[in-house]
Protein backbone atom coordinates (compact mmCIF):
# COMPACT_ATOMS: atom_id res chain seq x y z
CA UNK A 1 0.00 0.00 0.00
CA UNK A 2 1.43 3.36 -0.96
CA UNK A 3 1.52 6.43 1.23
CA UNK A 4 -1.26 8.96 0.72
CA UNK A 5 -0.69 12.04 -1.42
CA UNK A 6 0.48 14.93 0.76
CA UNK A 7 -0.87 18.38 -0.01
CA UNK A 8 0.13 21.71 1.48
CA UNK A 9 -2.80 24.14 1.35
CA UNK A 10 -1.72 27.78 1.66
CA UNK A 11 -4.97 29.70 2.14
CA UNK A 12 -5.77 32.52 4.54
CA UNK A 13 -9.57 32.13 4.40
CA UNK A 14 -10.44 29.80 7.28
CA UNK A 15 -13.65 28.46 5.77
CA UNK A 16 -12.15 27.73 2.37
CA UNK A 17 -9.09 26.09 3.93
CA UNK A 18 -11.16 23.99 6.34
CA UNK A 19 -13.65 22.79 3.72
CA UNK A 20 -10.89 21.90 1.28
CA UNK A 21 -8.86 20.15 3.98
CA UNK A 22 -11.81 18.04 5.12
CA UNK A 23 -12.76 17.12 1.55
CA UNK A 24 -9.21 16.04 0.67
CA UNK A 25 -8.76 14.13 3.93
CA UNK A 26 -12.07 12.34 3.25
CA UNK A 27 -10.52 11.41 -0.11
CA UNK A 28 -7.65 9.65 1.71
CA UNK A 29 -5.08 12.39 1.28
CA UNK A 30 -2.77 13.85 3.90
CA UNK A 31 -3.17 17.62 4.28
CA UNK A 32 -0.93 20.25 5.80
CA UNK A 33 -2.43 23.69 6.33
CA UNK A 34 -0.90 27.16 6.28
CA UNK A 35 -2.73 30.47 6.50
CA UNK A 36 0.34 32.57 5.66
CA UNK A 37 3.67 32.56 3.85
CA UNK A 38 5.44 32.14 7.20
CA UNK A 39 3.44 29.01 8.08
CA UNK A 40 4.05 27.56 4.63
CA UNK A 41 7.79 28.06 5.05
CA UNK A 42 7.65 26.27 8.41
CA UNK A 43 5.98 23.24 6.82
CA UNK A 44 8.62 23.08 4.12
CA UNK A 45 11.64 23.36 6.43
CA UNK A 46 13.85 20.30 6.78
CA UNK A 47 12.77 18.99 3.37
CA UNK A 48 9.33 17.89 4.58
CA UNK A 49 7.70 15.80 1.87
CA UNK A 50 4.91 17.47 -0.10
CA UNK A 51 3.44 16.12 -3.33
CA UNK A 52 1.29 19.11 -4.35
CA UNK A 53 0.85 22.73 -3.26
CA UNK A 54 -2.47 24.54 -3.37
CA UNK A 55 -1.65 28.22 -3.01
CA UNK A 56 -3.81 31.31 -2.77
CA UNK A 57 -2.32 34.32 -4.55
CA UNK A 58 -3.24 36.86 -1.86
CA UNK A 59 -1.89 36.10 1.59
CA UNK A 60 -1.78 38.32 4.68
CA UNK A 61 2.02 38.39 4.90
CA UNK A 62 3.03 38.24 1.26
CA UNK A 63 2.30 37.37 -2.32
CA UNK A 64 1.53 33.76 -3.23
CA UNK A 65 3.37 34.05 -6.54
CA UNK A 66 6.54 35.29 -4.80
CA UNK A 67 6.25 32.48 -2.24
CA UNK A 68 5.96 29.85 -4.98
CA UNK A 69 9.01 31.31 -6.75
CA UNK A 70 10.92 30.99 -3.49
CA UNK A 71 9.76 27.40 -2.97
CA UNK A 72 10.55 26.45 -6.56
CA UNK A 73 14.16 27.53 -6.07
CA UNK A 74 14.64 24.38 -3.98
CA UNK A 75 11.79 22.26 -5.37
CA UNK A 76 11.61 23.07 -9.09
CA UNK A 77 9.30 20.18 -10.02
CA UNK A 78 6.77 20.57 -7.20
CA UNK A 79 3.28 20.78 -8.74
CA UNK A 80 1.25 23.87 -7.82
CA UNK A 81 -2.45 24.65 -8.03
CA UNK A 82 -2.78 28.44 -7.96
CA UNK A 83 -6.10 29.73 -6.61
CA UNK A 84 -7.51 33.24 -6.65
CA UNK A 85 -10.78 34.93 -5.89
CA UNK A 86 -9.79 38.27 -7.37
CA UNK A 87 -9.98 37.41 -11.04
CA UNK A 88 -6.23 37.97 -11.41
CA UNK A 89 -4.73 36.75 -14.63
CA UNK A 90 -2.03 34.53 -13.19
CA UNK A 91 -0.36 34.10 -16.57
CA UNK A 92 0.57 37.77 -16.47
CA UNK A 93 2.27 37.35 -13.09
CA UNK A 94 4.08 34.04 -13.44
CA UNK A 95 5.24 31.78 -16.22
CA UNK A 96 3.16 28.65 -15.81
CA UNK A 97 4.59 25.24 -16.59
CA UNK A 98 1.73 23.30 -18.23
CA UNK A 99 3.19 20.03 -16.97
CA UNK A 100 3.06 20.89 -13.25
CA UNK A 101 0.99 24.06 -12.79
CA UNK A 102 -2.77 24.52 -12.73
CA UNK A 103 -4.97 27.56 -12.07
CA UNK A 104 -8.32 27.27 -10.31
CA UNK A 105 -10.34 30.48 -9.91
CA UNK A 106 -12.56 30.73 -6.85
CA UNK A 107 -15.13 29.53 -6.32
CA UNK A 108 -14.01 26.10 -7.43
CA UNK A 109 -15.65 22.70 -7.16
CA UNK A 110 -14.06 20.56 -4.45
CA UNK A 111 -14.19 17.45 -6.60
CA UNK A 112 -12.34 19.31 -9.39
CA UNK A 113 -9.57 20.22 -6.94
CA UNK A 114 -9.40 16.61 -5.74
CA UNK A 115 -9.15 15.33 -9.32
CA UNK A 116 -6.38 17.83 -10.11
CA UNK A 117 -4.46 16.94 -6.93
CA UNK A 118 -4.69 13.25 -7.85
CA UNK A 119 -3.42 13.96 -11.37
CA UNK A 120 -0.52 16.12 -10.17
CA UNK A 121 0.30 13.85 -7.24
CA UNK A 122 1.03 11.02 -9.66
CA UNK A 123 3.76 13.16 -11.24
CA UNK A 124 5.72 13.46 -8.00
CA UNK A 125 5.27 9.80 -7.10
CA UNK A 126 6.63 8.52 -10.41
CA UNK A 127 9.47 11.04 -10.67
CA UNK A 128 10.76 10.52 -7.11
Amino acid sequence: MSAPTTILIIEDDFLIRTCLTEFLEDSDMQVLEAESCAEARQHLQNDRHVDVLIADLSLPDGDGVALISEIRASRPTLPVIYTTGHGAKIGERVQLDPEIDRVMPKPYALDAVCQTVTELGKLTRYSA
Side-chain angles (χ1 to χ4, degrees):
M1 186 168 141
S2 63
T5 301
T6 300
I7 303 106
L8 173 56
I9 299 173
I10 309 166
E11 170 63 64
D12 62 321
D13 185 297
F14 175 79
L15 290 175
I16 292 172
R17 190 176 65 251
T18 301
C19 289
L20 186 54
T21 296
E22 289 178 7
F23 188 85
L24 293 173
E25 287 177 341
D26 287 347
S27 300
D28 297 322
M29 297 182 194
Q30 181 177 359
V31 180
L32 307 170
E33 296 179 56
E35 66 178 337
S36 66
C37 294
E39 280 188 43
R41 288 182 190 102
Q42 287 178 337
H43 279 298
L44 294 168
Q45 287 177 340
N46 303 319
D47 293 323
R48 186 162 190 179
H49 178 77
V50 173
D51 294 302
V52 179
L53 286 178
I54 299 175
D56 190 6
L57 297 182
S58 300
L59 297 164
D61 63 342
D63 176 53
V65 173
L67 176 64
I68 299 308
S69 292
E70 178 184 320
I71 292 168
R72 285 259 172 93
S74 61
R75 300 177 188 218
T77 61
L78 181 62
V80 176
I81 300 171
Y82 293 90
T83 66
T84 181
H86 300 290
K89 293 183 180 179
I90 183 80
E92 295 173 1
R93 297 182 58 197
V94 65
Q95 186 167 359
L96 297 171
D97 181 335
E99 295 292 320
I100 59 174
D101 292 327
R102 302 294 183 272
V103 178
M104 299 196 87
K106 296 176 189 174
Y108 44 71
L110 294 174
D111 59 339
V113 176
C114 186
Q115 181 179 4
T116 303
V117 166
T118 299
E119 170 194 332
L120 293 174
K122 290 177 184 176
L123 297 176
T124 57
R125 293 179 177 288
Y126 298 128
S127 66

